[in-house]
Amino acid sequence: MACFDTVIVGAGPAGLFLAVCLARWGYKIKHIDNREVPTITGRADGIQPRSLHILRNMGLKRYVMAHEPAKVYEVSFWDPAPSGQGIRRTRNASACPRFIDARYPFTTLLHQGLIERIFIEDMSKHGVEVQRPWAITAFINDQKDSGYPLQVSLKHEKTNETEAVRTKYLFSGEGARSLIRDMLGFKLHHKDPVSYVWGVIDGVVRTDFPDVRMKCTIHSHHGSMMIIPRENNLIRLYVQIASSTDEDFDPGKKVTEGEVQHSARKILSPFHIEWDRVEWYSVYGISQGIVERYASDNRIFLGGDCCHTHSPKAGQGMNTAFHDSLNLAWKIHHVEAGFADRSVLSSYESERKLVAENLLDFDAKYASLFSQQTPSTNGVDVPSRDNDQDEENDFVKTFKESQELTSGYGVSYPANHYNWSPSHPATSPLFFGKRSKLRPGYVMPSANVTRVIDANIVHLEQEIPLNGSFRVYVFAGKVDTSRQALIDFAANLQKPRSFYAAYERTDKATVSYHERHNPHSRFFTICTIFAAPRDEIEILEMVPPLLARYNHHIYADDVRDDRVPEARASAHAKMGFAANEGGVAIVRPDGHVGCAVQLVEGSGTVDALNEYFGAFVSKELGNDDVKARL
């Protein structure tokens, strides 16, 4: 019987993203999907700013942009006109406002099928193909093989051929109709009894509506609608059909393509719209639901739409699936590579379920307000954009309040062994806690620095690719004040029981000279950032040999940032580190902050990090007799 590291069921965003990560890290994958071909029409289409940031970190953003997707920088709000006849624009708002420090402050609109193909091509480069049309019929954790405790039964949908395989892990990316979820007996709990029926139609249109290439939310006396621009002149319309608050509500109501078009024309009146062609059309009901559990025995996991159902209008389904899979991928990798204890896998559910619950709370309110009719503006002046006057209605306020969450940059994880807090097992007084701007569980802020080796100005948070490694950012401050602390930090990293030396590569002596990111350890990549101009930094003189081996990851913090205009070392300032003292930031493989520690002379900094990593790694770290020297 064939054995695999992971069996993945479903080749939508969740399954494909997980497969891409694990395939790149060398795992043997069995990936099936019950569809004969990838998505052709319909489904998701929005990539939020944080997701695009991650795709760039994976080297995949260029392939997304090669399709020339639509980019939404602003959202236009339309409401009933004061006369009671027709609609008018009442407000524009930034899709990703400036208070969110995003590299890509826009939503990228591209058909899900094209995004799937990007993932499928990347998987193929690493020897993994999606087998179609295959479905799962049964699975059991029988423990008959301690290395591969799960047996999974599969069936070809056309030929009825069957196959049984063994695996370490089973992942459901099956979507809302997950057989694995149902076989586990995990219930989907709905947060709001109110549900809605909407029509969605993708096509090429002719219209005199002025904002047709913007994302628009439209409320009229004839109902509500959303416009989403797409690639290749396509437009997606979400058109309200019915609500469970209607007296004659029928959740199974059948509505034709022509009826949805007719409703769209009435909502857009007095503007005109006609379709050159319709690519896809559907009617769907929405409600907010979340599964009671995300995992079983730390062996069987659920991700994406089989865990949570919500409105598509906030553009969160595909993006949440990406983040589910990323969160799980690096944790499986660390367990299977011998770095972390298996118990860390329980943090997948505790972290990702909390995010889904926050999303569903927002979505329930957003969908409800969207489906309500907004009264006419009654002569109120029309603000131009991002105006904070009292005239904002509840729908606009909810939209703005949620933007950090929906962009992906507001996603945060609770305190646990990965995300330091005062209750963490690591108790060294050197942890920054609230004194730092780096908040454990949140995404690391962006920063521009100058790479010393080639004088390129680069995005610091993008310099380490998504390679499954923890990112160790040593903000070394000013050389004249931190020289000894930096020397001591490097020396203590080399002690056999340090978090770094304990996980050195066994093939370190033969690693390629050109290896930039993981020359010593597959689990850590080190960046050193000096609060000095580039021309004052001499790597051979100022950087200890261990850190100098990462010569492509040595930087000058000499690029001005208008978010901290008074700072002379902007990256240090954005992280909350003083330029004359520095500090060390530990960032998880997914880009979320783990902890921040002072950079001090002696062994204190490494001792503190030994405590932090010792809470979840597989080896005993540090020396109990050693006390941090402040």
Side-chain angles (χ1 to χ4, degrees), residues 7-20 29-40 43-44 112-121 123 128-136 171-176 180 303-306 318 321-322 325:
V7 171
I8 299 174
V9 182
L16 289 172
F17 197 102
L18 181 65
V20 166
I29 299 166
K30 178 82 166 181
H31 196 169
I32 67 168
D33 190 272
N34 60 8
R35 299 172 297 166
E36 292 190 66
V37 295
T39 300
I40 298 174
R43 302 206 180 190
Q112 177 178 316
L114 297 175
I115 298 167
E116 288 179 6
R117 284 165 174 78
I118 292 170
F119 289 148
I120 290 169
E121 290 173 6
M123 290 160 47
V128 177
E129 305 288 344
V130 179
Q131 295 177 275
R132 306 174 186 269
W134 282 83
I136 186 169
F171 179 79
S172 170
E174 301 163 278
I180 293 174
D305 285 353
C306 69
M318 178 166 61
F322 290 166
S325 296

Coordinates of all heavy atoms in Angstrom, one line a residue, residues 7-20 29-40 43-44 112-121 123 128-136 171-176 180 303-306 318 321-322 325:
V7 N -2.3 13.5 2.5 CA -3.3 13.3 1.5 C -4.2 14.6 1.5 O -4.7 14.9 2.6 CB -4.2 12.1 1.7 CG1 -5.4 12.1 0.7 CG2 -3.4 10.8 1.5
I8 N -4.3 15.3 0.4 CA -5.1 16.5 0.4 C -6.3 16.2 -0.5 O -6.1 15.8 -1.7 CB -4.2 17.7 -0.2 CG1 -3.0 17.9 0.7 CG2 -5.1 18.9 -0.4 CD1 -2.1 19.0 0.2
V9 N -7.5 16.5 0.0 CA -8.7 16.3 -0.8 C -9.3 17.7 -1.1 O -9.6 18.5 -0.2 CB -9.7 15.5 0.1 CG1 -11.0 15.3 -0.8 CG2 -9.1 14.2 0.5
G10 N -9.4 18.0 -2.4 CA -9.9 19.3 -2.8 C -8.8 20.1 -3.4 O -7.8 20.3 -2.8
A11 N -9.0 20.6 -4.6 CA -8.0 21.4 -5.3 C -8.5 22.8 -5.5 O -8.4 23.4 -6.6 CB -7.6 20.8 -6.6
G12 N -9.2 23.4 -4.5 CA -9.5 24.8 -4.5 C -8.4 25.6 -3.8 O -7.3 25.0 -3.6
P13 N -8.6 26.8 -3.4 CA -7.5 27.6 -2.8 C -6.9 27.0 -1.6 O -5.6 27.1 -1.5 CB -8.2 28.9 -2.5 CG -9.4 29.0 -3.4 CD -9.8 27.6 -3.6
A14 N -7.6 26.4 -0.7 CA -7.0 25.9 0.5 C -6.2 24.7 0.2 O -5.0 24.6 0.7 CB -8.1 25.5 1.5
G15 N -6.7 23.7 -0.5 CA -5.9 22.5 -0.8 C -4.7 22.8 -1.7 O -3.6 22.3 -1.4
L16 N -4.8 23.7 -2.7 CA -3.7 24.0 -3.5 C -2.6 24.8 -2.8 O -1.4 24.5 -3.0 CB -4.1 24.8 -4.7 CG -5.0 24.0 -5.8 CD1 -5.6 24.9 -6.8 CD2 -4.1 22.9 -6.4
F17 N -3.0 25.7 -1.9 CA -1.9 26.5 -1.2 C -1.2 25.6 -0.3 O 0.1 25.6 -0.2 CB -2.6 27.6 -0.4 CG -1.7 28.7 0.1 CD1 -1.6 29.9 -0.6 CD2 -0.8 28.5 1.1 CE1 -0.7 30.9 -0.2 CE2 0.0 29.4 1.6 CZ 0.1 30.7 0.9
L18 N -1.8 24.7 0.4 CA -1.1 23.7 1.3 C -0.2 22.8 0.5 O 0.9 22.6 0.9 CB -2.2 22.9 2.0 CG -1.6 21.8 3.0 CD1 -0.8 22.5 4.2 CD2 -2.6 20.9 3.6
A19 N -0.7 22.4 -0.7 CA 0.1 21.5 -1.5 C 1.4 22.2 -2.0 O 2.5 21.6 -2.1 CB -0.7 21.0 -2.7
V20 N 1.2 23.5 -2.4 CA 2.4 24.2 -2.9 C 3.5 24.3 -1.8 O 4.7 24.1 -2.1 CB 2.0 25.6 -3.3 CG1 3.2 26.5 -3.5 CG2 1.2 25.6 -4.7
I29 N 3.1 13.9 -1.5 CA 1.7 14.3 -1.4 C 0.8 13.6 -2.3 O 1.2 13.3 -3.5 CB 1.6 15.9 -1.7 CG1 2.4 16.7 -0.7 CG2 0.1 16.3 -1.7 CD1 2.6 18.1 -1.1
K30 N -0.3 13.1 -1.9 CA -1.4 12.6 -2.7 C -2.5 13.6 -2.7 O -3.1 13.9 -1.7 CB -1.9 11.3 -2.1 CG -3.1 10.6 -2.9 CD -2.6 9.8 -4.1 CE -3.6 8.9 -4.6 NZ -3.1 8.1 -5.8
H31 N -2.7 14.2 -3.9 CA -3.7 15.3 -4.0 C -4.8 14.9 -5.0 O -4.5 14.7 -6.2 CB -3.0 16.6 -4.5 CG -3.8 17.9 -4.2 ND1 -3.2 19.1 -4.4 CD2 -5.1 18.1 -3.9 CE1 -4.1 20.0 -4.1 NE2 -5.3 19.4 -3.8
I32 N -6.0 14.9 -4.5 CA -7.1 14.5 -5.4 C -8.2 15.6 -5.4 O -8.3 16.5 -4.5 CB -7.8 13.2 -4.9 CG1 -8.5 13.4 -3.6 CG2 -6.8 12.1 -4.9 CD1 -9.4 12.2 -3.2
D33 N -9.0 15.6 -6.5 CA -10.1 16.5 -6.6 C -11.2 15.8 -7.4 O -10.9 15.1 -8.3 CB -9.7 17.8 -7.3 CG -10.8 18.9 -7.2 OD1 -11.7 18.9 -8.1 OD2 -10.8 19.7 -6.3
N34 N -12.5 16.0 -7.0 CA -13.6 15.3 -7.7 C -14.0 15.9 -8.9 O -14.9 15.4 -9.6 CB -14.7 15.0 -6.7 CG -15.3 16.3 -6.2 OD1 -15.0 17.4 -6.6 ND2 -16.3 16.2 -5.2
R35 N -13.5 17.1 -9.3 CA -13.8 17.7 -10.5 C -12.8 17.3 -11.6 O -11.6 17.0 -11.4 CB -13.7 19.3 -10.4 CG -14.7 19.9 -9.4 CD -14.4 21.3 -9.2 NE -13.0 21.5 -8.6 CZ -12.4 22.7 -8.6 NH1 -13.0 23.8 -9.1 NH2 -11.2 22.9 -8.1
E36 N -13.3 17.2 -12.8 CA -12.5 16.7 -13.9 C -11.4 17.8 -14.3 O -10.3 17.4 -14.8 CB -13.3 16.4 -15.2 CG -14.2 15.1 -14.9 CD -14.9 14.7 -16.2 OE1 -14.1 14.2 -17.1 OE2 -16.1 14.8 -16.3
V37 N -11.7 19.1 -14.1 CA -10.8 20.1 -14.5 C -10.8 21.2 -13.4 O -11.7 21.3 -12.6 CB -11.2 20.8 -15.9 CG1 -11.1 19.8 -17.0 CG2 -12.6 21.3 -15.8
P38 N -9.8 22.1 -13.4 CA -9.8 23.2 -12.5 C -11.0 24.1 -12.8 O -11.6 24.0 -13.8 CB -8.4 23.9 -12.7 CG -7.6 22.8 -13.4 CD -8.5 22.0 -14.2
T39 N -11.2 25.0 -11.9 CA -12.3 26.0 -12.0 C -12.2 26.7 -13.3 O -11.2 27.3 -13.7 CB -12.2 27.0 -10.8 OG1 -12.4 26.3 -9.6 CG2 -13.4 28.0 -11.0
I40 N -13.3 26.7 -14.0 CA -13.4 27.4 -15.4 C -14.0 28.7 -15.2 O -13.6 29.7 -15.8 CB -14.2 26.5 -16.4 CG1 -13.4 25.2 -16.5 CG2 -14.3 27.2 -17.7 CD1 -14.2 24.2 -17.4
R43 N -16.9 31.4 -8.9 CA -16.1 31.3 -7.7 C -15.4 32.6 -7.3 O -15.8 33.7 -7.7 CB -15.2 30.1 -7.7 CG -16.0 28.8 -7.9 CD -15.3 27.6 -7.4 NE -16.1 26.4 -7.6 CZ -15.8 25.2 -7.1 NH1 -14.8 25.1 -6.3 NH2 -16.6 24.1 -7.4
A44 N -14.3 32.5 -6.5 CA -13.7 33.7 -5.9 C -12.9 34.5 -6.9 O -12.5 33.9 -8.0 CB -12.8 33.3 -4.7
Q112 N -10.6 33.0 -10.0 CA -10.0 31.9 -9.2 C -9.3 30.8 -10.0 O -8.3 30.3 -9.7 CB -11.1 31.3 -8.3 CG -10.6 30.1 -7.5 CD -11.6 29.6 -6.6 OE1 -12.4 30.3 -5.9 NE2 -11.7 28.2 -6.5
G113 N -9.9 30.5 -11.2 CA -9.4 29.5 -12.0 C -7.9 29.8 -12.5 O -7.1 28.9 -12.5
L114 N -7.7 31.1 -12.7 CA -6.3 31.5 -13.1 C -5.4 31.4 -12.0 O -4.2 31.0 -12.1 CB -6.4 32.9 -13.7 CG -7.2 33.1 -15.0 CD1 -7.2 34.6 -15.3 CD2 -6.6 32.3 -16.1
I115 N -5.8 31.7 -10.8 CA -5.0 31.6 -9.6 C -4.7 30.1 -9.3 O -3.6 29.7 -9.0 CB -5.7 32.3 -8.4 CG1 -5.9 33.8 -8.7 CG2 -4.9 32.1 -7.1 CD1 -6.9 34.5 -7.7
E116 N -5.7 29.3 -9.5 CA -5.5 27.8 -9.3 C -4.4 27.3 -10.2 O -3.6 26.5 -9.8 CB -6.8 27.1 -9.5 CG -7.9 27.2 -8.4 CD -9.1 26.5 -8.7 OE1 -9.2 25.7 -9.7 OE2 -10.1 26.6 -8.0
R117 N -4.4 27.7 -11.4 CA -3.5 27.3 -12.4 C -2.1 27.7 -12.1 O -1.1 26.9 -12.3 CB -3.9 27.7 -13.8 CG -5.0 26.9 -14.4 CD -5.7 27.6 -15.6 NE -6.7 26.7 -16.2 CZ -7.9 26.6 -15.7 NH1 -8.3 27.2 -14.6 NH2 -8.8 25.8 -16.3
I118 N -1.9 28.8 -11.4 CA -0.6 29.3 -11.0 C -0.1 28.3 -9.9 O 1.1 27.9 -10.0 CB -0.7 30.7 -10.4 CG1 -0.9 31.7 -11.6 CG2 0.6 31.1 -9.7 CD1 -1.3 33.1 -11.1
F119 N -0.9 27.9 -9.0 CA -0.5 27.0 -8.0 C -0.2 25.6 -8.6 O 0.7 24.9 -8.2 CB -1.6 26.8 -6.9 CG -1.8 28.0 -6.0 CD1 -3.0 28.4 -5.5 CD2 -0.7 28.8 -5.7 CE1 -3.2 29.5 -4.7 CE2 -0.9 29.9 -4.8 CZ -2.1 30.3 -4.4
I120 N -1.1 25.2 -9.5 CA -0.9 23.8 -10.1 C 0.4 23.7 -10.8 O 1.1 22.7 -10.8 CB -2.1 23.5 -11.0 CG1 -3.4 23.3 -10.2 CG2 -1.8 22.3 -11.9 CD1 -4.7 23.2 -11.0
E121 N 0.8 24.8 -11.6 CA 2.1 24.8 -12.3 C 3.2 24.8 -11.3 O 4.2 24.1 -11.6 CB 2.1 26.0 -13.2 CG 1.2 26.0 -14.4 CD 1.1 27.3 -15.2 OE1 1.9 28.2 -14.9 OE2 0.3 27.4 -16.1
M123 N 3.2 23.5 -8.2 CA 3.3 22.1 -7.7 C 3.9 21.1 -8.7 O 4.7 20.3 -8.3 CB 1.9 21.6 -7.4 CG 1.2 22.3 -6.2 SD -0.6 22.1 -6.3 CE -0.8 20.4 -6.6
V128 N 4.4 17.2 -8.0 CA 3.0 16.9 -7.4 C 2.0 17.3 -8.5 O 2.0 18.4 -9.0 CB 2.8 17.7 -6.1 CG1 1.4 17.4 -5.6 CG2 3.8 17.3 -5.1
E129 N 1.1 16.4 -8.7 CA 0.0 16.6 -9.7 C -1.4 16.4 -9.0 O -1.4 15.5 -8.1 CB 0.1 15.7 -10.9 CG 1.4 15.8 -11.6 CD 1.6 17.1 -12.4 OE1 0.6 17.8 -12.6 OE2 2.7 17.4 -12.8
V130 N -2.4 17.1 -9.4 CA -3.7 16.8 -8.8 C -4.3 15.7 -9.7 O -4.4 15.8 -10.9 CB -4.6 18.1 -8.9 CG1 -6.0 17.8 -8.4 CG2 -4.0 19.2 -8.1
Q131 N -4.8 14.6 -9.0 CA -5.4 13.5 -9.7 C -6.9 13.7 -9.7 O -7.6 13.9 -8.7 CB -5.1 12.2 -8.9 CG -3.6 11.9 -9.0 CD -3.2 10.6 -8.2 OE1 -3.0 10.7 -7.0 NE2 -3.2 9.5 -8.9
R132 N -7.5 13.7 -10.9 CA -8.9 13.9 -11.2 C -9.5 12.8 -12.0 O -8.8 12.2 -12.8 CB -9.1 15.3 -11.9 CG -8.4 16.5 -11.3 CD -8.5 17.7 -12.2 NE -7.7 18.8 -11.7 CZ -8.2 19.8 -10.9 NH1 -9.5 19.7 -10.5 NH2 -7.5 20.8 -10.4
P133 N -10.8 12.6 -11.9 CA -11.7 13.0 -10.8 C -11.8 11.9 -9.8 O -12.4 10.9 -10.0 CB -13.0 13.2 -11.5 CG -13.0 12.2 -12.6 CD -11.6 12.0 -13.0
W134 N -11.1 12.1 -8.7 CA -11.1 11.2 -7.6 C -11.8 11.8 -6.4 O -11.7 13.0 -6.2 CB -9.6 10.8 -7.2 CG -9.0 9.8 -8.1 CD1 -8.4 10.1 -9.3 CD2 -8.9 8.4 -8.0 NE1 -7.9 9.0 -9.9 CE2 -8.2 7.9 -9.1 CE3 -9.3 7.5 -7.0 CZ2 -7.9 6.6 -9.2 CZ3 -9.0 6.2 -7.1 CH2 -8.3 5.7 -8.2
A135 N -12.4 10.9 -5.6 CA -13.1 11.3 -4.4 C -12.7 10.4 -3.2 O -12.3 9.3 -3.4 CB -14.6 11.3 -4.6
I136 N -12.8 11.0 -2.0 CA -12.6 10.2 -0.8 C -13.9 9.5 -0.4 O -14.9 10.0 -0.5 CB -12.0 11.0 0.4 CG1 -11.7 10.2 1.6 CG2 -13.1 12.1 0.7 CD1 -10.9 11.0 2.6
F171 N -6.0 16.2 4.9 CA -6.5 17.6 4.9 C -7.7 17.7 4.0 O -7.7 17.3 2.8 CB -5.4 18.5 4.4 CG -5.9 20.0 4.3 CD1 -5.9 20.7 5.5 CD2 -6.2 20.6 3.1 CE1 -6.3 22.1 5.4 CE2 -6.6 21.9 3.0 CZ -6.7 22.6 4.2
S172 N -8.8 18.3 4.5 CA -10.0 18.6 3.7 C -10.0 20.0 3.2 O -10.1 21.0 4.1 CB -11.2 18.3 4.5 OG -12.4 18.8 3.8
G173 N -9.8 20.2 1.9 CA -10.1 21.5 1.3 C -11.2 21.4 0.3 O -11.2 22.0 -0.8
E174 N -12.2 20.6 0.8 CA -13.3 20.3 -0.1 C -14.4 21.4 -0.3 O -15.2 21.2 -1.2 CB -14.1 19.0 0.4 CG -13.2 17.8 0.6 CD -13.8 16.8 1.5 OE1 -13.7 17.0 2.8 OE2 -14.5 15.9 1.0
G175 N -14.3 22.4 0.5 CA -15.3 23.4 0.4 C -16.5 23.2 1.3 O -16.4 22.3 2.2
A176 N -17.6 23.9 1.1 CA -18.7 23.9 2.0 C -19.4 22.5 2.1 O -20.0 22.2 3.2 CB -19.7 24.9 1.5
I180 N -15.3 14.9 4.5 CA -14.5 14.6 5.6 C -15.1 15.2 6.9 O -15.2 14.6 7.9 CB -13.1 15.1 5.4 CG1 -12.4 14.3 4.2 CG2 -12.2 15.0 6.6 CD1 -11.1 14.7 3.8
G303 N -9.8 23.0 6.3 CA -9.4 24.4 6.0 C -10.3 25.0 5.0 O -10.9 24.3 4.2
G304 N -10.3 26.3 4.9 CA -11.1 27.0 3.9 C -12.6 26.9 4.2 O -13.0 26.9 5.3
D305 N -13.3 26.8 3.1 CA -14.8 27.0 3.2 C -15.5 25.8 3.9 O -16.6 25.9 4.3 CB -15.4 27.1 1.8 CG -15.2 28.4 1.1 OD1 -14.7 29.3 1.8 OD2 -15.5 28.6 -0.1
C306 N -14.8 24.7 4.1 CA -15.4 23.6 4.9 C -15.4 24.0 6.4 O -16.1 23.3 7.2 CB -14.8 22.3 4.6 SG -13.1 22.1 5.2
M318 N -11.4 33.1 -0.4 CA -10.1 32.6 -0.9 C -9.0 33.0 0.0 O -8.0 32.2 0.3 CB -9.9 33.0 -2.3 CG -8.6 32.6 -2.9 SD -8.6 32.8 -4.7 CE -8.8 34.6 -4.9
A321 N -8.7 31.1 3.2 CA -8.2 29.7 2.8 C -6.7 29.7 2.7 O -6.0 28.8 3.2 CB -8.9 29.2 1.5
F322 N -6.2 30.7 2.1 CA -4.7 30.9 2.0 C -4.1 30.9 3.3 O -3.1 30.1 3.6 CB -4.3 32.2 1.3 CG -4.6 32.2 -0.2 CD1 -4.6 33.5 -0.9 CD2 -4.9 31.1 -0.9 CE1 -4.9 33.5 -2.2 CE2 -5.2 31.2 -2.3 CZ -5.2 32.4 -2.9
S325 N -4.2 27.5 5.3 CA -3.2 26.5 4.8 C -1.8 26.9 5.1 O -1.0 26.0 5.5 CB -3.4 26.4 3.3 OG -4.7 25.8 3.0

